[in-house]
Amino acid sequence: MLLVVEFFFFCEGKQTSLDYRLLSKITEEIAADRCTIVSAGGKFTFSIFAQGYFFPEEPKNQKYIVFRDRDFDVQPTPNSQLLHLGNRRRSRRVITTYRSGIENYLLDPILIHQYWREKFQEKLETASKWGHGDSPGIEAIADWIETSAKSLKFYQAVRWALGDLLQTSAAREQLKTTWAGGSGKLPESLTLQDCKNRG
């Protein structure tokens, strides 16, 4: 008789999030019958969510990993690889993306160009609502990405400084590395002085 061990992946967001969809795609290729992807909301609630999910069993007796964005919580390594979140209980169970967020893996000029071309072709064939015309080309897209990255450098630097500061804070879960509001929002000013003042 074959013993099947079920393994759980807790991820940020909802079932419609990119994290959930990516993990589902990956695990369907390797062990869909043994892996369960569970969308668990925000990164600060994983341990509480796991307690409720596995109740009345203890989470420590279960086979699970938490997969989340790295954000500003751990420094990237010289090698591009998934990272363990250090200095926390059960840190070996918490795996973070190498890039700061899972969405950053989509910032590839070739990938964006191909998507853009496909959406434009779809518009020509089916009268879809795509309103951006044809792709401007890989080089133009690469330039846009680089220009955007340069405009964010001071904001990102201050966020890294706040992330380093928060690593030593007992109030880590109540403090933030941004002042811009919700996820994905940028502050009105990206100048170094304004970012330092707000940080």
Side-chain angles (χ1 to χ4, degrees), residues 6-178:
E6 187 168 14
F7 202 88
F8 297 88
F9 285 94
F10 290 99
C11 68
E12 290 183 87
K14 303 174 182 176
Q15 285 189 342
T16 55
S17 72
L18 184 59
D19 303 57
Y20 181 88
R21 291 184 292 166
L22 175 68
L23 281 173
S24 296
K25 266 295 198 212
I26 292 170
T27 58
E28 81 182 17
E29 298 294 321
I30 53 175
D33 59 332
R34 295 178 301 186
C35 293
T36 300
I37 313 300
V38 182
S39 52
K43 69 181 182 180
F44 295 123
T45 60
F46 282 122
S47 62
I48 295 167
F49 187 93
Q51 287 174 3
Y53 189 83
F54 292 124
F55 184 82
E57 296 287 322
E58 285 291 321
K60 66 183 179 186
N61 298 331
Q62 302 294 326
K63 303 277 186 201
Y64 76 93
I65 287 179
V66 172
F67 177 77
R68 53 161 284 215
D69 291 341
R70 175 175 54 81
D71 297 326
F72 296 89
D73 298 325
V74 62
Q75 292 281 346
T77 61
N79 300 321
S80 181
Q81 63 191 28
L82 295 176
L83 304 168
H84 289 279
L85 189 61
N87 300 327
R88 305 255 174 104
R89 285 183 322 159
R90 298 187 301 276
S91 64
R92 302 307 291 177
R93 289 188 191 254
V94 181
I95 307 294
T96 71
T97 54
Y98 178 75
R99 294 186 178 182
S100 63
I102 199 166
E103 296 81 6
N104 291 348
Y105 289 98
L106 300 176
L107 292 176
D108 178 273
I110 296 170
L111 179 66
I112 294 171
H113 169 73
Q114 289 171 340
Y115 176 79
W116 202 321
R117 301 280 321 262
E118 287 174 18
K119 294 305 281 183
F120 181 65
Q121 189 62 38
E122 181 182 299
K123 178 184 173 88
L124 295 176
E125 295 171 2
T126 66
S128 76
K129 294 183 179 183
W130 181 253
H132 303 290
D134 200 359
S135 170
I138 295 169
E139 190 172 312
I141 294 168
D143 287 345
W144 291 343
I145 292 171
E146 185 174 343
T147 300
S148 293
K150 286 178 179 176
S151 74
L152 295 172
K153 67 184 177 184
F154 299 130
Y155 177 58
Q156 293 293 85
V158 171
R159 292 187 74 191
W160 268 114
L162 289 170
D164 286 345
L165 175 67
L166 299 179
Q167 292 300 321
T168 59
S169 173
R172 172 68 182 113
E173 294 185 10
Q174 285 74 41
L175 300 173
K176 298 182 180 190
T177 58
T178 184

